[in-house]
Amino acid sequence: MNGIRFVSPPMPHYIVGGEDTYRPGGSHPARTNIGVFDLLVVTRGCLCIAEEEERYAVSPGRYLLLRPDRAHRSYQACDAETHFYWLHLHTEGSWQTSAELEADPQRPADDPYVRLHQFAFVLPQYGTVVRTEALHDLLRQLTLWEAEPYSAARLKQQASFQQMLLLLAEDTADRHPAPPSFAVAERAAAYLQQRYRETISYEAMAEALHFHPNYVARCMKRVYGCTPLEYLIRYRLEQAKHRLAYTDEPIGEIAADAGFGSFAYFVKRFVKQVGCRPRDYRLRYRSRERR
């Protein structure tokens, strides 16, 4: 299954959308590197779209998710009247094709509210819609709210868009279960989150998960873009950042409770990850609260 894998949070977000109808002989415009994902959902007729060298015939009940970093064009004009919904979406988080095995490690946002509870999901680039009426209803809502100038309409759009993502992801999961590596990575992440205060070894984690340590590491690298050790350190740092910003607890106590056996190592990793010392981080957020 050729798909786009998103790592969230942050979740992909809706930008703009609408609907269009091409008469026979009409065709989709050619574009290159538009910078956002382009989702096309056909209700009647057929769109013949090429992304680079890959060709797709998007008929009723099918959808196509075009990448933001590729060229796409029509390779054949419409034979019949063709109606479709389109919408642009994007994400500030990590994404990659399911064929790409490795991802760049993501640095958590510098915000004490952000915790490292990331998960991954895959949407096929070229998929079949199972619950067509439900999807079309959501797309119509997005289109209707496009004309509303109020912020409440923007909020409703994002909520409907998230429902649409869930619908497509659930349909995909029913027909194409996630690769075993996804389940292993999520189990490993849960294991690390539950025991982050403890001393953790690859061997103990692998034994608990019933997989070889190297396989667990490969799964986490594929899904989260980091090794189990990197994930654990980042998770510990997120716990420490939150307590630095919102408690008066001694920094050494915070470091120890977050699972860092050495205060010097905690400071070293904190500076490398966050860009400042723990004390400076605390002062920064205390001064922000006073504004």
Side-chain angles (χ1 to χ4, degrees):
M1 177 185 65
N2 186 26
I4 303 294
R5 188 208 69 167
F6 297 93
V7 175
S8 300
M11 288 290 290
H13 57 273
Y14 171 84
I15 300 174
V16 66
E19 57 182 319
D20 207 345
T21 302
Y22 292 163
R23 296 184 180 278
S27 60
H28 194 273
R31 300 190 179 99
T32 302
N33 297 332
I34 63 174
V36 295
F37 291 95
D38 190 3
L39 179 67
L40 304 173
V41 180
V42 174
T43 62
R44 66 176 181 272
C46 185
L47 282 177
C48 298
I49 304 292
E51 183 179 75
E52 303 291 356
E53 302 304 318
E54 294 290 331
R55 293 187 172 192
Y56 305 93
V58 192
S59 55
R62 306 300 300 265
Y63 71 87
L64 177 63
L65 182 61
L66 296 166
R67 291 175 54 163
D69 57 347
R70 294 287 178 88
H72 57 263
R73 58 180 173 79
S74 290
Y75 65 85
Q76 181 179 310
C78 297
D79 293 332
E81 184 177 82
T82 299
H83 175 267
F84 63 97
Y85 291 97
W86 62 271
L87 61 88
H88 291 168
L89 60 120
H90 206 55
T91 179
E92 298 299 323
S94 171
W95 68 270
Q96 66 181 108
T97 65
S98 56
E100 296 166 340
L101 300 181
E102 299 296 334
D104 293 329
Q106 297 296 304
R107 176 172 172 172
D110 186 18
D111 188 325
Y113 281 115
V114 175
R115 303 295 186 94
L116 192 64
H117 294 282
Q118 292 184 318
F119 60 94
F121 65 95
V122 174
L123 294 182
Q125 266 197 276
Y126 182 51
T128 300
V129 180
V130 176
R131 289 168 286 180
T132 54
E133 286 303 316
L135 178 63
H136 293 170
D137 285 345
L138 289 170
L139 289 166
R140 281 192 289 269
Q141 289 177 11
L142 289 169
T143 302
L144 289 172
W145 283 324
E146 200 63 44
E148 294 288 337
Y150 308 110
S151 58
R154 305 285 81 79
L155 180 60
K156 291 176 181 178
Q157 280 182 322
Q158 296 300 333
S160 291
F161 174 68
Q162 299 302 328
Q163 290 180 346
M164 190 194 74
L165 283 183
L166 179 61
L167 184 151
L168 293 176
E170 286 179 342
D171 285 351
T172 298
D174 290 341
R175 299 191 311 278
H176 304 283
S181 59
F182 275 55
V184 173
E186 290 186 346
R187 287 176 58 196
Y191 179 93
L192 295 172
Q193 291 171 15
Q194 293 167 4
R195 297 167 175 81
Y196 74 93
R197 291 186 173 92
E198 306 170 10
T199 300
I200 297 176
S201 69
Y202 274 21
E203 291 73 17
M205 180 179 66
E207 183 177 351
L209 300 178
H210 305 294
F211 289 103
H212 193 277
N214 291 343
Y215 179 68
V216 175
R218 287 199 303 272
C219 290
M220 291 208 71
K221 187 71 174 177
R222 179 176 184 178
V223 175
Y224 294 107
C226 61
T227 66
L229 178 59
E230 290 167 341
Y231 186 98
L232 176 62
I233 291 172
R234 285 161 47 183
Y235 188 83
R236 285 171 169 170
L237 288 172
E238 290 306 308
Q239 313 313 307
K241 283 167 60 179
H242 186 84
R243 290 171 64 177
L244 284 168
Y246 296 109
T247 75
D248 293 319
E249 297 171 0
I251 297 176
E253 182 179 316
I254 291 174
D257 196 52
F260 290 95
S262 164
F263 181 74
Y265 181 67
F266 166 69
V267 173
K268 178 182 177 180
R269 294 304 306 233
F270 196 97
V271 171
K272 181 179 180 180
Q273 189 79 25
V274 183
C276 65
R277 296 177 66 83
R279 180 177 179 276
D280 296 331
Y281 183 87
R282 168 173 275 174
L283 292 174
R284 179 200 307 171
Y285 277 94
R286 291 301 168 83
S287 63
R288 185 178 296 183
E289 287 179 355
R290 289 194 291 268
R291 293 176 187 171

